[in-house]
Every structure is written in C-alpha cells, then in structure tokens.
Amino acid sequence: DRLTRIVEQLLQLSRLEAGVLSSRFAWFSLRGVVERVQQIYQPLAEAGGVELDVEVDPPDLQINGMEGLWDELLCNLVDNALRHTPPGGVIRVRAGVEGKEWICLSVTDTGPGIPEDHSQNLFDRFAQIPGRSNGTAGLGLALAAEIAVVHGGKLVLANPGKPGARFECRIPFSSGRRA
C-alpha cells in the first residue's frame, strides 16, 4: 500500500508539472473541501487526543480549480500536522480572503515546528527532517506545493524555526469568488 501511494504521488507530480490538469478547472466550494477533509481526519485527531478546529470565512467562498487536487493539498497538510502534533495539541485549518488580492488556506499545528535550516528544502521531493522519520516518503509537501503552483499560487512555511508549523497556501483572488 505504501509503495502504491508513493508511485501515485510521483505520477501526480509529473502530471502537475506537465500542465495536463489545468484544463479541467471548474468552480467549487472551498468550504466543501475543508469539511470533507475534516470528516476524514476528525476520528484520527480524536484518537490521538488532538483538537481539529476548522473555519471558512466567508462560508460561500468559491475557487476555480480542481477540487480533487485541493482535497489532496489539504489532506497532505493535515496529515503532516497530525503526525507532529502531540496529544492535547490543536490543529487549526483556516480558509478565507486576505485583502482584495488573496485567498488563503492555512494549517497550523502545536507540534515542535520546523527548524529554519530545513525550511529551504522542505518542498523538495523526498525531503525529510533528520530524526523525524515516520514512515513517509517525503512527497506530500512537494505535491501540495505543486498543486498551489498549478492554481497560480504558492505554498509556504510561514514560521520557520518557531514552535508549531504554519503552512499557508495563497492563490490570487482572481481565482476565487463568492457564490
């Protein structure tokens, strides 16, 4: 299963880089993506003693893109946060509009954070932080970053070197609208 997942992620990265998926863009609800991912990860969060807190403002926010890719982007971010958030911690998922220019999706956890010296290569394929190997291949963040690029945006680690990782994906507001 793990090997299959790695191969699927590599194929998805190749498709994204080749630009073959952008022709399939359509309008969809960002709230729908957030709620689906919450339904998937809520039981895992509860089992690990972690609070999963989500908010979408405005609730009727629509974006133009591939809904399945946004599911994958957010799943990768929440999955990483769950792996690194200790019991009693919190994972916050926020989606909304920043000013008149950006739609922002962020995932913040209360884990140990990411050392600044590892933040430069964080979005490279197979990148892992030494001593934190947890059975993953290091493809999730690379895939999430490429999904952001395909949608005209960027995924960043907003707080390198600080406790609790905060990942922010911003896409131009021209890619979004209110329903």
Side-chain angles (χ1 to χ4, degrees), residues 48-83:
V50 173
E51 179 186 347
L52 182 56
D53 178 43
V54 303
E55 181 181 329
V56 179
D57 185 34
D60 58 350
L61 185 61
Q62 302 276 314
I63 62 174
N64 190 25
M66 287 189 63
E67 193 169 3
L69 291 179
W70 280 87
D71 287 346
E72 191 160 3
L73 182 152
L74 187 54
C75 279
N76 279 323
L77 295 178
V78 171
D79 189 65
N80 279 347
L82 268 174
R83 261 192 256 111

Side-chain angles (χ1 to χ4, degrees), residues 107-109 111-116 119 156-168:
V107 176
T108 307
D109 65 49
I114 297 170
E116 196 163 351
S119 65
V156 298
L157 173 65
N159 64 341
K162 296 186 175 145
R166 177 179 171 83
F167 288 91
E168 294 179 351

Side-chain angles (χ1 to χ4, degrees), residues 1-178:
D1 287 342
R2 184 170 177 250
L3 186 56
T4 300
R5 178 72 179 141
I6 291 170
V7 170
E8 287 171 355
Q9 286 180 320
L10 286 169
L11 286 171
Q12 186 75 299
L13 272 167
S14 295
R15 286 185 206 107
L16 290 169
E17 289 170 347
V20 298
L21 299 177
S22 60
S23 64
R24 301 183 195 165
F25 279 22
W27 291 100
F28 65 91
S29 165
L30 191 52
R31 181 184 183 109
V33 170
V34 171
E35 288 176 347
R36 252 189 323 279
V37 172
Q38 182 183 24
Q39 287 176 344
I40 293 167
Y41 285 96
Q42 188 67 47
L44 295 170
E46 289 174 4
V50 173
E51 179 186 347
L52 182 56
D53 178 43
V54 303
E55 181 181 329
V56 179
D57 185 34
D60 58 350
L61 185 61
Q62 302 276 314
I63 62 174
N64 190 25
M66 287 189 63
E67 193 169 3
L69 291 179
W70 280 87
D71 287 346
E72 191 160 3
L73 182 152
L74 187 54
C75 279
N76 279 323
L77 295 178
V78 171
D79 189 65
N80 279 347
L82 268 174
R83 261 192 256 111
H84 299 288
T85 301
V90 179
I91 298 170
R92 286 187 174 76
V93 178
R94 299 289 182 262
V97 177
E98 286 189 1
K100 295 181 180 181
E101 297 180 33
W102 300 103
I103 294 172
C104 184
L105 174 68
S106 68
V107 176
T108 307
D109 65 49
T110 55
I114 297 170
E116 196 163 351
D117 56 333
H118 293 285
S119 65
Q120 300 301 322
N121 301 350
L122 197 57
F123 299 103
D124 293 347
R125 291 180 186 190
F126 307 110
Q128 302 217 354
I129 298 172
R132 293 197 194 168
S133 177
N134 49 20
T136 65
L139 291 171
L141 288 177
L143 184 56
E146 192 61 34
I147 290 169
V149 168
V150 164
H151 288 86
K154 186 170 186 173
L155 178 66
V156 298
L157 173 65
N159 64 341
K162 296 186 175 145
R166 177 179 171 83
F167 288 91
E168 294 179 351
C169 177
R170 284 190 171 80
I171 63 168
F173 190 72
S174 59
S175 301
R177 68 178 182 200
R178 294 179 74 157

